[in-house]
């Protein structure tokens, strides 16, 4: 069964933020008070975020409607305890065909084995610099060596293809675009360049440091020629094969070239809100309904309402968003 929205898009993908806490404070993602959320508000936050049982119920309801793919994200998903238990629960839903996680990789090394045994299929790792001092600066203190130890271990456990998300930032890490292309050429990691989104409270800073996907692609082409790869099921990234090595790179251009017509997703925030679109503040409370013990029909009704509210495209007004990506789940 396919779940279709008003514009005939198949909605088969749920992105679930399981926490808005993060162990990094990336310059373009977090500002001011948000930086403290992981240490200061922990006891409050845990009172209101969805439990794994509640998330499971929502995924089960979604699966009954046609959701086939699930991605766990955050905040940083691996700061939440026992994520593998949630993976195992979701993996048990027969019609969920793909379960993946987006992580900054810092806690991957110690978690990979449990995640893989629980049934995790793949991992996306966010790495904005290969140079330790620049990585530290962008993430406000992250340790790139720990990330790579996690990445190697994920590869050993077959959580592949490993996709690396890199956000080029003018004046900070854009000098490394070519290095990331070489990494794609020399390894089996797929590098996805993501346009810096002028989102929420960081809108102005991000706008000043924005580089378009077209500019990034021009830089990539100085290293290797690009041949488009067409997938049967289009996603948000446009992928290209490099003419050197086995490399694949992708471009995600939410700002300069919206991919709304291929949008196949619903988002669930850690606090139990369903978001039809990342770039709109519209959200529907599903957590309260699940908590009062609603049956599958009632939960599915809310998911259908959210699908029905998916708009044909966002209007590029990303700056009006009041939340940061770490709250919604990037
Ligand atoms: N902590 C995890 C991680 O680092 O992958 C998952 C959450 S993070 C919000 C998910 C992705 O969103 C990361 O790849 C991050 O680079 C990206 N992101 C966050 N804010 C962004 C922005 N303003 N523009 C573009 N990408 C952004």
């Amino acid at each position: 069964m396919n779940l279709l929205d008003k514009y005939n898009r198949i909605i088969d993908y749920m992105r679930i933020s399981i926490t808005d806490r993060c162990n990094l404070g990336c310059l373009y993602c977090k500002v001011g008070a948000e930086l403290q959320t992981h240490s200061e508000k922990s006891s409050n936050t845990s009172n209101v975020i969805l439990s794994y049982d509640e998330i499971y119920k929502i995924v089960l309801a979604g699966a009954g409607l046609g959701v086939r793919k699930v991605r766990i994200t955050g905040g940083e998903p691996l700061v939440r305890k026992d994520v593998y238990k949630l993976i195992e629960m979701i993996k048990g839903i027969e019609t969920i065909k793909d379960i993946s996680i987006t992580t900054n990789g810092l806690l991957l090394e110690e978690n990979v084995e449990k995640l893989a045994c629980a049934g995790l299929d793949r991992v996306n790792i966010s790495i904005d610099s290969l140079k330790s001092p620049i990585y530290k600066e962008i993430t406000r203190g992250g340790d790139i060596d720990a990330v790579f130890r996690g990445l190697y271990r994920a590869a050993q456990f077959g959580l592949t293809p490993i996709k690396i998300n890199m956000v080029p930032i003018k004046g900070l890490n854009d000098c490394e675009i070519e290095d990331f292309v070489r990494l794609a050429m020399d390894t089996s990691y797929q590098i996805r360049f993501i346009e810096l989104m002028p989102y929420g409270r960081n809108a102005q800073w991000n706008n000043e440091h924005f580089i378009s996907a077209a500019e990034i692609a021009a830089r990539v082409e100085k290293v290797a020629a690009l041949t488009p790869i067409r997938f049967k099921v289009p996603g948000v990234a446009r992928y290209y094969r490099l003419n050197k090595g086995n490399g694949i790179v992708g471009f995600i251009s939410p700002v300069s070239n919206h991919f709304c017509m291929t949008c196949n997703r619903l988002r669930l925030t850690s606090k139990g809100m369903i978001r039809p679109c990342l770039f709109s503040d519209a959200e529907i409370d599903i957590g309260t309904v699940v908590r009062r013990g609603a049956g599958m029909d009632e939960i599915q009704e809310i998911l259908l309402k959210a699908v029905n509210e998916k708009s044909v495209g966002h209007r590029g007004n990303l700056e009006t968003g009041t939340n940061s990506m770490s709250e919604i789940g990037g």
Side-chain angles (χ1 to χ4, degrees):
M1 181 175 68
N2 281 340
L3 176 58
L4 293 175
D5 74 358
K6 283 188 292 203
Y7 306 99
N8 261 346
R9 291 174 295 201
I10 297 174
I11 310 304
D12 60 358
Y13 183 18
M14 197 181 277
R15 284 180 80 97
I16 303 171
S17 172
I18 60 168
T19 177
D20 58 12
R21 296 161 64 197
C22 189
N23 47 356
L24 291 178
C26 297
L27 293 175
Y28 56 82
C29 187
K30 295 211 150 199
V31 283
E34 286 176 80
L35 285 168
Q36 273 90 52
T37 54
H38 61 281
S39 54
E40 287 188 359
K41 293 203 313 197
S42 57
S43 53
N44 286 340
T45 308
S46 63
N47 289 337
V48 290
I49 60 175
L50 294 174
S51 68
Y52 289 160
D53 282 339
E54 289 158 353
I55 295 172
Y56 172 76
K57 266 191 195 156
I58 296 169
V59 178
L60 190 62
L65 292 172
V67 170
R68 301 284 170 263
K69 282 171 64 178
V70 170
R71 176 171 294 278
I72 306 296
T73 179
E76 171 48 43
L78 297 183
V79 300
R80 187 157 171 187
K81 203 164 170 260
D82 297 340
V83 182
Y84 74 94
K85 287 186 182 162
L86 177 65
I87 304 284
E88 205 167 62
M89 289 159 83
I90 295 176
K91 193 70 183 178
I93 303 174
E94 212 189 315
T95 51
I96 298 294
K97 300 297 178 201
D98 185 79
I99 177 158
S100 55
I101 200 163
T102 296
T103 171
N104 60 35
L106 275 180
L107 298 174
L108 204 46
E109 188 182 20
E110 65 216 64
N111 280 290
V112 156
E113 187 165 357
K114 278 186 178 167
L115 291 169
C117 293
L120 186 71
D121 291 304
R122 291 177 301 113
V123 65
N124 286 10
I125 306 178
S126 305
I127 303 178
D128 291 333
S129 174
L130 302 171
K131 297 183 166 61
S132 179
I134 301 182
Y135 183 80
K136 259 202 168 59
E137 184 181 352
I138 294 173
T139 57
R140 293 187 172 104
D143 172 6
I144 188 66
D145 295 334
V147 176
F148 269 95
R149 285 198 301 275
L151 186 151
Y152 298 144
R153 200 142 167 79
Q156 277 171 357
F157 275 88
L159 300 182
T160 54
I162 292 180
K163 296 181 184 171
I164 295 181
N165 290 340
M166 191 262 186
V167 179
I169 309 164
K170 192 171 274 170
L172 257 177
N173 64 355
D174 53 331
C175 55
E176 291 187 63
I177 291 172
E178 291 82 355
D179 296 341
F180 276 88
V181 178
R182 285 184 205 103
L183 183 65
M185 278 166 16
D186 295 344
T187 64
S188 53
Y189 317 139
Q190 299 180 9
I191 308 293
R192 307 187 324 157
F193 296 103
I194 305 178
E195 278 179 348
L196 181 60
M197 293 176 248
Y199 207 84
R201 291 174 280 261
N202 269 357
Q204 196 189 337
W205 190 91
N206 291 8
N207 252 330
E208 286 162 12
H209 293 82
F210 175 77
I211 309 178
S212 72
E215 287 173 76
I216 301 165
R219 298 272 296 273
V220 173
E221 285 193 291
K222 286 189 179 153
V223 184
L226 298 174
T227 307
I229 304 174
R230 306 217 180 281
F231 292 107
K232 270 195 220 141
V233 186
V236 298
R238 281 167 294 122
Y239 284 100
Y240 296 82
R241 194 167 292 289
L242 301 166
N243 74 337
K244 296 178 190 158
N246 283 325
I248 290 179
V249 296
F251 299 93
I252 303 180
S253 53
V255 181
S256 69
N257 187 0
H258 307 171
F259 37 72
C260 303
M261 276 328 285
T262 57
C263 181
N264 59 349
R265 55 190 60 181
L266 281 178
R267 289 169 186 273
L268 176 62
T269 72
S270 55
K271 290 179 183 151
M273 307 303 274
I274 285 279
R275 284 205 163 213
C277 170
L278 175 63
F279 301 111
S280 153
D281 283 344
E283 50 185 24
I284 304 174
D285 183 357
I286 197 166
T288 306
V289 175
V290 172
R291 283 198 181 108
R292 70 162 154 69
M296 276 295 128
D297 286 355
E298 205 181 335
I299 301 171
Q300 286 181 335
E301 229 172 79
I302 294 178
L303 292 174
L304 288 170
K305 188 160 178 255
V307 168
N308 201 41
E309 283 188 13
K310 279 183 76 68
S311 64
V312 66
H314 69 79
R315 292 175 295 280
N317 57 342
L318 317 178
E319 289 129 64
T320 60
T322 49
N323 303 75
S324 74
M325 204 70 88
S326 63
E327 287 168 81
I328 300 159

